[in-house]
Amino acid sequence: MVQKQGKTKKKNAGGGGGAVVRPAPTTSSPKDPSATTTSTSTGAGIISDSAQLSVPEQQRLLGHFTAAFDAVLTAEAFPQLLREIKQALFERDFARAFGREDYLDAYAARWSPTRALCYAAVFRTFLPPAAAAEHRPWR
């Protein structure tokens, strides 16, 4: 489902069933960073802007990944490893993509931080406020 100016319509672009993110209409200046809001629409519901982490919360969470993967992220070979992993995934050769320790580290360093931010928004949306407060290690 795609949210478009208050109307909902189905979008069939090759299946996949993934989430679609669209900017919400706004009347504020485009230079105002708070002017653009987004909602993620999935088959299960909508994760609203209120579920998103504040910028300091995001930075703190991402800082954990930076600290944990500093050596991987700063390695000269990191871009090449990502290209090799992407190629293996494109070829659906999962044994090759995840068969080496350095590939696993590079994969985790590149794709885990954004997933963590998404999961944090999901948990904030679907956990009761009291339960969510207990499970926020980034604060």
Side-chain angles (χ1 to χ4, degrees):
M1 302 293 270
V2 176
Q3 291 281 353
K4 198 169 194 177
Q5 297 181 356
K7 295 180 182 177
T8 303
K9 70 177 193 176
K10 285 188 175 182
K11 181 176 181 178
N12 187 2
V20 177
V21 178
R22 298 273 188 247
T26 182
T27 57
S28 302
S29 164
K31 292 183 180 180
D32 180 6
S34 65
T36 303
T37 59
T38 58
S39 293
T40 303
S41 177
T42 64
I46 294 179
I47 300 173
S48 69
D49 290 334
S50 64
Q52 301 302 315
L53 299 174
S54 68
V55 172
E57 289 173 325
Q58 290 178 26
Q59 289 302 320
R60 186 164 178 183
L61 182 58
L62 295 174
H64 293 295
F65 286 96
T66 301
F69 292 108
D70 183 56
V72 175
L73 293 166
T74 58
E76 191 173 312
F78 184 62
Q80 180 61 32
L81 289 174
L82 291 180
R83 282 191 291 275
E84 292 170 11
I85 294 166
K86 286 181 188 180
Q87 185 63 39
L89 292 172
F90 178 77
E91 294 170 4
R92 303 189 63 76
D93 187 350
F94 303 113
R96 187 178 73 191
F98 301 113
R100 290 177 28 187
E101 191 73 26
D102 57 340
Y103 280 13
L104 291 173
D105 290 342
Y107 182 91
R110 168 58 183 89
W111 285 285
S112 295
T114 51
R115 286 186 179 156
L117 291 173
C118 291
Y119 283 123
V122 169
F123 294 150
R124 184 172 277 183
T125 299
F126 296 106
L127 283 179
E134 294 173 14
H135 300 288
R136 290 189 190 149
W138 56 85
R139 283 203 167 172

